[in-house]
């Protein structure tokens, strides 16, 4: 008879496929670098350390991992632009969440956070600031991918689970960067290019990126970001090739090559990332300067991973599906106006 281990049923034999199992990986455990897909896809019994982490009940048509990053070795959450952003998690069943943003568009009136603090006479009414006007809504969006392959592929491929994990990892990281940079805001993230708070800086020379452009962008960056080191340059490959040739008045290249322990170089003290999601050189958003700590990502629960052979029974295939629920946008509703001029945490070369 089947035995119950941590709430899940153990297969009768090691050869039985696992079609109906829910696996939830506890956050305080590690997988010892083993990939759970290598066992499940081939229908093998899970080793003891993995069975001990299973705490859910069965679902039809495959299994579910509440933390696929641990089960499959996914690292997309720690690389790319997501690692620079402010990230909050909600419950899995949430669909909308509001977050307070105190940033005012006109700092010259009530300061950066819109709370009217002023000299007040004794017994006089204190000026009220309504925080409800400062909320920004985040709505659940989904990034999803589905792959399938023959059973022969899985049986013949060395470390098939690792291959799948790396494929999902690379593509999801790439797609998250695309959403953060250029999401339209319609059923997807509102990317840096399309945030209402962004400031456009006019290009000095058509179809080029010159030193004056970079200095003008730096001048428009919000000086009160905390900390200032959160600023990051993001550019297209074409713009990067222009930047590599730029020199200051003393003939010194303004681009600083990566240090031995860093994957990226620096421009005017800030890291610079090259992305194919930026526009072609000479067009708007081929170069962006942004304080990513003011770009908010809300993740609605954990990514969902499902594996199924049932849906592909007649063709002897296995399907693997990953769905990531999130939304992202700037925490500033608009650029800010001060007595010294306009500033933003997103500056785009026009």
């Amino acid at each position: 008879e089947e035995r119950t281990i941590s709430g899940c049923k153990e297969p009768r034999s090691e050869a039985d496929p696992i079609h109906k199992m829910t696996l939830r990986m506890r956050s305080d455990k590690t997988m010892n670098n083993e990939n759970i897909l290598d066992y499940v896809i081939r229908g093998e019994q899970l080793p003891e350390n993995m069975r001990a982490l299973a705490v859910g009940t069965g679902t039809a048509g495959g299994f579910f991992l509440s933390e696929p990053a641990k089960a499959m070795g996914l690292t997309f959450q720690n690389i790319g632009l997501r690692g620079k952003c402010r990230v909050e998690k909600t419950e899995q069943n949430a669909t909308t969440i509001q977050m307070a943003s105190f940033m005012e568009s006109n700092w010259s009136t009530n300061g950066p956070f819109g709370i009217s603090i002023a000299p007040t006479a004794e017994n006089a009414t204190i000026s009220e600031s309504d925080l409800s006007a400062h909320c920004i809504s985040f709505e659940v969006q989904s990034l999803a991918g589905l792959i399938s392959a023959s059973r022969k592929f899985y049986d013949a491929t060395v470390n098939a689970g690792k291959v799948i994990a790396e494929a999902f990892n690379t593509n999801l990281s790439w797609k998250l960067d695309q959403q953060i940079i250029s999401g339209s805001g319609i059923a997807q993230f509102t990317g840096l290019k399309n945030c209402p708070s962004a400031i456009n800086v006019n290009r000095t020379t058509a179809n080029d990126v010159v030193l004056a452009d970079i200095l003008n962008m730096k001048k428009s960056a919000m000086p009160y970001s905390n900390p200032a080191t959160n600023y990051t340059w993001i550019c297209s490959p074409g713009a990067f090739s222009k930047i590599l040739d730029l020199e200051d008045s003393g003939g010194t290249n303004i681009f600083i090559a990566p240090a031995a322990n860093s994957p990226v170089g620096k421009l005017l003290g800030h890291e610079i990332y090259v992305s194919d999601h930026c526009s072609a050189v000479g067009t708007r958003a081929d170069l962006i300067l942004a304080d990513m700590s003011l770009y908010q990502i809300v993740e609605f629960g954990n990514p969902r991973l499902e594996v199924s052979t049932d849906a592909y029974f007649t063709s002897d295939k296995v399907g693997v599906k990953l769905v990531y629920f999130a939304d992202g946008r700037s925490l500033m509703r608009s650029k800010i106006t001060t007595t010294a001029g306009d500033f933003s945490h997103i500056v785009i070369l026009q």
Side-chain angles (χ1 to χ4, degrees):
E1 293 184 357
E2 295 179 338
R3 292 173 294 165
T4 299
I5 298 181
S6 300
C8 288
K9 291 183 177 179
E10 182 184 0
R12 290 188 177 90
S13 70
E14 293 185 2
D16 285 340
I18 302 176
H19 296 314
K20 302 176 180 180
M21 180 182 291
T22 296
L23 302 176
R24 299 184 184 275
M25 316 312 297
R26 293 175 181 169
S27 59
D28 58 346
K29 301 289 185 180
T30 62
M31 296 303 298
N32 297 324
N33 297 320
E34 292 184 275
N35 194 308
I36 201 167
L37 285 183
D38 289 326
Y39 295 92
V40 177
I41 289 172
R42 292 187 171 95
E44 298 175 358
Q45 180 174 317
L46 297 180
E48 181 63 32
N49 67 317
M50 292 187 181
R51 294 202 307 271
L53 296 174
V55 295
T57 55
T59 58
F63 72 89
F64 170 73
L65 293 171
S66 63
E67 295 186 47
K70 291 190 175 184
M72 293 177 61
L74 298 175
T75 58
F76 72 89
Q77 294 174 318
N78 301 315
I79 64 176
L81 292 176
R82 179 194 177 280
K84 295 271 184 188
C85 299
R86 184 191 303 254
V87 180
E88 298 287 343
K89 281 187 177 291
T90 71
E91 295 298 325
Q92 184 74 48
N93 60 356
T95 57
T96 303
I97 188 173
Q98 287 191 332
M99 303 196 71
S101 172
F102 300 103
M103 291 291 184
E104 276 292 304
S105 59
N106 191 340
W107 289 23
S108 60
T109 303
N110 291 328
F113 298 107
I115 301 176
S116 179
I117 299 177
T120 305
E122 184 179 5
N123 298 325
T125 301
I126 300 174
S127 179
E128 177 186 350
S129 300
D130 185 358
L131 295 183
S132 61
H134 297 261
C135 287
I136 295 178
S137 294
F138 293 80
E139 297 183 0
V140 62
Q141 317 293 343
S142 65
L143 299 177
L146 171 65
I147 64 173
S148 64
S150 67
R151 173 71 65 181
K152 182 178 179 181
F153 167 84
Y154 293 112
D155 290 342
T157 301
V158 178
N159 296 325
K162 182 179 180 181
V163 172
I164 294 171
E166 290 177 348
F168 273 126
N169 180 68
T170 301
N171 271 46
L172 187 52
S173 299
W174 182 88
K175 191 60 180 180
L176 277 173
D177 279 359
Q178 182 272 330
Q179 289 288 290
I180 292 169
I181 294 172
S182 57
S184 69
I186 302 174
Q188 52 185 272
F189 288 20
T190 301
L192 299 173
K193 289 182 183 180
N194 299 307
C195 285
S197 56
I199 284 182
N200 293 311
V201 172
N202 291 328
R203 196 179 302 268
T204 303
T205 305
N207 302 317
D208 204 355
V209 178
V210 299
L211 179 59
D213 296 331
I214 293 172
L215 295 177
N216 289 335
M217 291 178 70
K218 181 79 171 179
K219 292 174 184 177
S220 294
M222 191 168 63
Y224 304 104
S225 288
N226 184 28
T229 52
N230 284 336
Y231 274 105
T232 300
W233 296 95
I234 310 167
C235 68
S236 67
F240 185 63
S241 66
K242 299 281 187 181
I243 291 170
L244 289 176
D245 295 331
L246 295 181
E247 298 178 344
D248 61 19
S249 58
T252 301
N253 197 301
I254 64 172
F255 171 76
I256 299 177
N261 60 347
S262 173
V264 295
K266 290 189 175 183
L267 181 63
L268 298 186
H270 305 300
E271 292 183 341
I272 180 168
Y273 286 79
V274 181
S275 173
D276 58 338
H277 300 304
C278 287
S279 306
V281 63
T283 60
R284 180 182 182 272
D286 59 347
L287 180 61
I288 301 171
L289 177 61
D291 179 353
M292 300 305 296
S293 70
L294 291 176
Y295 188 89
Q296 176 74 58
I297 293 177
V298 175
E299 295 180 340
F300 294 82
N302 292 301
R304 188 176 78 235
L305 176 73
E306 292 179 311
V307 177
S308 180
T309 56
D310 291 2
Y312 301 93
F313 177 77
T314 58
S315 55
D316 195 29
K317 296 170 68 176
V318 178
V320 183
K321 178 178 68 178
L322 181 68
V323 186
Y324 173 78
F325 302 97
D327 193 13
R329 60 193 63 220
S330 169
L331 282 176
M332 294 179 60
R333 297 184 303 279
S334 64
K335 65 182 181 181
I336 58 174
T337 299
T338 72
T339 54
D342 293 342
F343 300 95
S344 177
H345 79 104
I346 305 172
V347 183
I348 296 177
L349 186 59
Q350 178 75 38

